[in-house]
Amino acid sequence: MSGVDLLTFGEVLVSLRSTGPLHLGGPLTMHMVGAESNVAVGLSRLGHRAALAGRVSDDELGEFVLRELRAEGVDTDGVRRDPDRPAGLMFLERRTADLTRVVYRRAGSAGSALDVDDLRGPLAAGPRLVHLTGITPALSDSARAAVTWAAREAASAGTTVSLDVNYRTRLWSREAARAALTPLAGYASVVVASADELDLVAEPGADEDTAVAGLLRRGVHTVLVKLGADGARAHTRDGVVHAAAVPVTAVDTVGAGDAFTAGYLSGHLDGLDLADRLQRAVALGAFAVAAHGDWEGLPRRDELSLITGSVAGTTLR
């Protein structure tokens, strides 16, 4: 695993998707999903060496996840097969053209049993960047301890740490999330959040400017605020950069935030300036929403020009 550009870790779910109501039966298609795996695939497709650590079930579903990750060029040396716990499952049913309903079966899954020992080897290999999300610490006490340990160790070693708040209401309350994520953000160089997630890493009820100011005072270098159809903002001590969204026909918004993060981190690894990193981030978000699936529509590096020509110019204030 030496020479890895990005290390991330967390639960990879098996998604079973239906084109109609689940209670009516019908065919299901199987897919690999997960915020961290989405980012790893996005980086790998752009030519970076990405690695994922964690646990998968020791059965055909676990083998399916590993096969999908390896097919996408993601390093899985840090993934452990857990013989005692099942795969986490996610069922998606398309109820209307504009509404998809999700049912989870992930309690007690292999991925939720992540602990510090699962991360010692992968982190010791010296990745250039460690990416965390607010999903993994919500899965279990051991996963929360592992994320905190990894963030602290990586920051102490001078490794760039990114944190995507990625709040999930089905996993924990806002109060519980804030208690875990606010201290975690103190280890991060990059924090990613939607506008309504910012106060989970800042004072309760803080507006964007107040939350960002607090994060910058704590040592965060860049705060990225996802604005959906309005694009995104990047805050640093030097000011604010805005990038408009790419005008595309949206067919599936799932995974767009992970794609955005992958695009930004790719630009960071490539040494792009802030405006160009943000432009790549919104471009990958556009690729994601313009295709079905969490990560399937993400581009290779030679495909970036298919959509980047449509990106409106960035502005600095």
Side-chain angles (χ1 to χ4, degrees):
M1 191 178 283
S2 60
V4 165
D5 293 317
L6 173 127
L7 170 66
T8 189
F9 45 87
E11 182 177 35
V12 186
L13 298 162
V14 174
S15 172
L16 299 169
R17 300 179 186 171
S18 170
T19 57
L22 287 170
H23 74 273
L24 295 180
L28 296 170
T29 56
M30 191 159 69
H31 305 262
M32 173 189 77
V33 298
E36 295 84 3
S37 57
N38 291 345
V39 172
V41 169
L43 268 294
S44 180
R45 285 199 177 178
L46 292 176
H48 305 284
R49 189 173 179 196
L52 187 133
R55 300 190 188 192
V56 297
S57 56
D58 191 18
D59 57 15
E60 289 79 7
L61 296 181
E63 185 60 38
F64 168 75
V65 167
L66 290 173
R67 182 175 178 272
E68 291 287 277
L69 289 169
R70 291 165 181 162
E72 290 297 327
V74 176
D75 187 319
T76 61
D77 288 350
V79 179
R80 171 182 167 187
R81 305 293 292 267
D82 190 323
D84 300 319
R85 296 175 178 85
L89 301 178
M90 181 173 74
F91 295 87
L92 277 80
E93 58 175 356
R94 186 167 293 279
R95 293 296 288 114
T96 71
D98 300 316
L99 175 64
T100 299
R101 191 155 56 186
V102 180
V103 178
Y104 288 101
R105 292 292 182 268
R106 68 194 306 180
S109 69
S112 70
L114 178 80
D115 64 22
V116 170
D117 288 339
D118 294 324
L119 304 180
R120 294 187 189 278
L123 196 61
R128 292 175 60 191
L129 193 154
V130 171
H131 177 62
L132 317 172
T133 80
I135 296 174
T136 302
L139 299 178
S140 67
D141 291 343
S142 67
R144 184 159 53 256
V147 171
T148 303
W149 175 85
R152 183 175 61 248
E153 292 294 307
S156 297
T159 303
T160 298
V161 176
S162 68
L163 169 65
D164 186 345
V165 174
N166 230 330
Y167 176 63
R168 294 290 184 268
T169 58
R170 297 192 188 189
L171 292 177
W172 53 359
S173 68
R174 294 186 71 87
E175 292 73 21
R178 185 178 294 109
L181 300 182
T182 296
L184 195 63
Y187 299 111
S189 296
V190 179
V191 170
V192 186
S194 58
D196 64 347
E197 292 174 332
L198 272 175
D199 78 331
L200 296 178
V201 287
E203 298 175 11
D207 61 19
E208 182 173 325
D209 288 342
T210 302
V212 167
L215 288 166
L216 295 178
R217 283 196 302 270
R218 294 173 62 200
V220 176
H221 297 162
T222 307
V223 181
L224 302 173
V225 183
K226 298 175 290 186
L227 304 172
D230 292 324
R233 281 190 288 268
H235 297 260
T236 69
R237 292 180 181 86
D238 295 326
V240 185
V241 175
H242 176 262
V246 181
V248 295
T249 301
V251 298
D252 187 351
T253 60
V254 176
D258 303 325
F260 172 90
T261 299
Y264 182 86
L265 297 180
S266 169
H268 171 85
L269 290 166
D270 282 348
L272 301 184
D273 64 24
L274 182 60
D276 287 339
R277 294 180 207 174
L278 198 58
Q279 182 169 322
R280 185 174 292 182
V282 297
L284 256 70
F287 270 105
V289 302
H292 290 286
D294 283 39
W295 52 267
E296 287 85 344
L298 297 181
R300 301 186 306 268
R301 186 173 288 263
D302 62 358
E303 294 177 319
L304 282 172
S305 61
L306 294 175
I307 206 167
T308 52
S310 301
V311 180
T314 55
T315 59
L316 174 64
R317 74 174 190 267

